[in-house]
Every structure is written in structure tokens, then in C-alpha cells.
Amino acid sequence: MIGTGAQRPSENILLVEGQDDKHVVRHLCDRSLEMPEFFTLDRVGISQLLPAIGPEIKVSGRQAVGIVVDANSDLQSRWDEVIGQLKAVNIQTPDNPDPAGTIISGIPRIGIWLMPNNQSTGELEDFVQEMIPVEDPVWPMSEEYIQGIPNADRKFRDSKILKAKLYAWLATRKNLAVWARLSARETCL
């Protein structure tokens, strides 16, 4: 279960960069049968998340800290930023991310996931796109729709084209309520 209220359990916490990450994690956890309770903390960007790592690890009674961040354009650089925060609080870290997800044993146990897959550059949207079934008939239409919008009429940056395509695709899904929070925030484009 993911905590969402003002009070958060101190034992297990997941640090994420933003609301979109938080909602995708919630959606994935809702599909899991055996998920321990944890609180997801949206740090509103990497510049806020990185300095929060050390203090969150030091919280009394903390059992697990998860860290989910976008690799963006340089996987190794992002990895170095995250492990730099861990080393600052004397946590031994591997030199590179584990493709299956990095787990550092101890108290607290620390898990690190670099979007989209711990191996390549990208972000949350690349991760979500990989979950769309290859045979999905709507995905190609969503891509065409966004590509067909004249540049002068686009209300999103070129770097956010994949996000726009995903929002177009999500708008056609039956279970839109699950994703409503994702598409409700125009400012994230």
C-alpha cells in the first residue's frame, strides 16, 4: 500500500522526482498482490530529491529507502549524483547500476531505479512506453496525431514529444480514471 496522507509511515519510503512518477508507481503497485506498505514522497524535481536522500536515510526507524529518478541524457552522470549522496552518509555503493535494479543491503535497505531501465538514457515516459503492448492499435495513431500538430500550434517543448504522445494514448484508455492525475497537469509538458 502506498501512503498518501499527511502522516507518513517512517519505516519505508520511496523518493520520486514528481507527481507523474508517483502516480505510475501507484498504478503499478495496485496491480501487485504482495506489496509492503510504503510512503511515496514527491520531491518536485531532481534538484530537491538529491539533497533529501541523506536525511531520509537517517530517519530513526527507517527500514527501506527507494529512489526512482530519470537517467535523462546521461545515465552515468545521474548514477554518480545519486551515489554521491549515499557516499556522503557513508553508504557503500556499487560503481554502476544493476540492470535489474540496485539493492544495497543494510539498515535501511536502499533500492535505486534509474528510468527507464537502469541501462539506457531516458525518463519515466520511456519506461511507460515500453509497457504499451506492441500490438496496441491506438499507439501508432497517438504518435501520428502528435506528429501532425504544426510546430506553431504545439503547447509543449520538443523534448516532451514522447510525453505528449503518451497523454494522447492515455486519453483513449478505458481505465482513464487511474491515469487522470497524469493528464490533468498541463504544466508537466
Side-chain angles (χ1 to χ4, degrees):
M1 168 185 264
I2 300 175
T4 58
Q7 242 183 346
R8 60 183 168 147
S10 63
E11 301 84 29
N12 305 311
I13 193 161
L14 177 65
L15 302 173
V16 297
E17 288 186 66
Q19 286 293 314
D20 290 351
D21 306 75
K22 186 175 181 176
H23 296 300
V24 168
V25 167
R26 178 176 294 130
H27 181 71
L28 292 173
C29 289
D30 286 348
R31 293 177 175 261
S32 175
L33 298 176
E34 294 185 31
M35 183 60 61
E37 186 171 326
F38 63 94
F39 182 83
T40 304
L41 183 57
D42 164 14
R43 296 308 295 177
V44 193
I46 193 70
S47 63
Q48 306 257 347
L49 185 145
L50 290 171
I53 293 172
E56 290 294 344
I57 286 171
K58 292 179 180 180
V59 169
S60 178
R62 186 61 40 102
Q63 296 297 306
V65 175
I67 303 163
V68 175
V69 297
D70 293 335
N72 288 340
S73 61
D74 189 341
L75 178 81
Q76 190 62 49
S77 175
R78 183 52 47 92
W79 174 254
D80 291 343
E81 289 176 320
V82 171
I83 65 170
Q85 297 296 319
L86 296 171
K87 288 178 179 179
V89 291
N90 299 315
I91 303 289
Q92 296 294 319
T93 62
D95 292 332
N96 297 298
D98 184 322
T102 303
I103 303 293
I104 301 170
S105 297
I107 304 287
R109 185 175 49 164
I110 300 167
I112 307 166
W113 184 266
L114 278 69
M115 290 288 183
N117 59 18
N118 288 315
Q119 300 177 73
S120 60
T121 60
E123 53 194 359
L124 174 71
E125 291 75 21
D126 297 291
F127 175 79
V128 173
Q129 180 187 13
E130 289 177 13
M131 292 188 290
I132 297 173
V134 174
E135 67 278 358
D136 185 285
V138 176
W139 179 247
M141 290 185 267
S142 300
E143 291 180 300
E144 284 179 39
Y145 169 70
I146 296 300
Q147 292 295 62
I149 298 172
N151 287 339
D153 294 327
R154 291 184 179 187
K155 303 299 180 198
F156 51 87
R157 299 183 307 254
D158 286 345
S159 64
K160 298 300 180 182
I161 288 176
L162 178 55
K163 184 175 274 196
K165 291 174 183 178
L166 284 169
Y167 280 44
W169 179 80
L170 288 170
T172 68
R173 302 297 83 202
K174 181 179 179 183
N175 194 2
L176 186 57
V178 174
W179 296 94
R181 291 183 200 111
L182 280 174
S183 59
R185 291 187 37 216
E186 183 179 303
T187 57
C188 66
L189 288 177

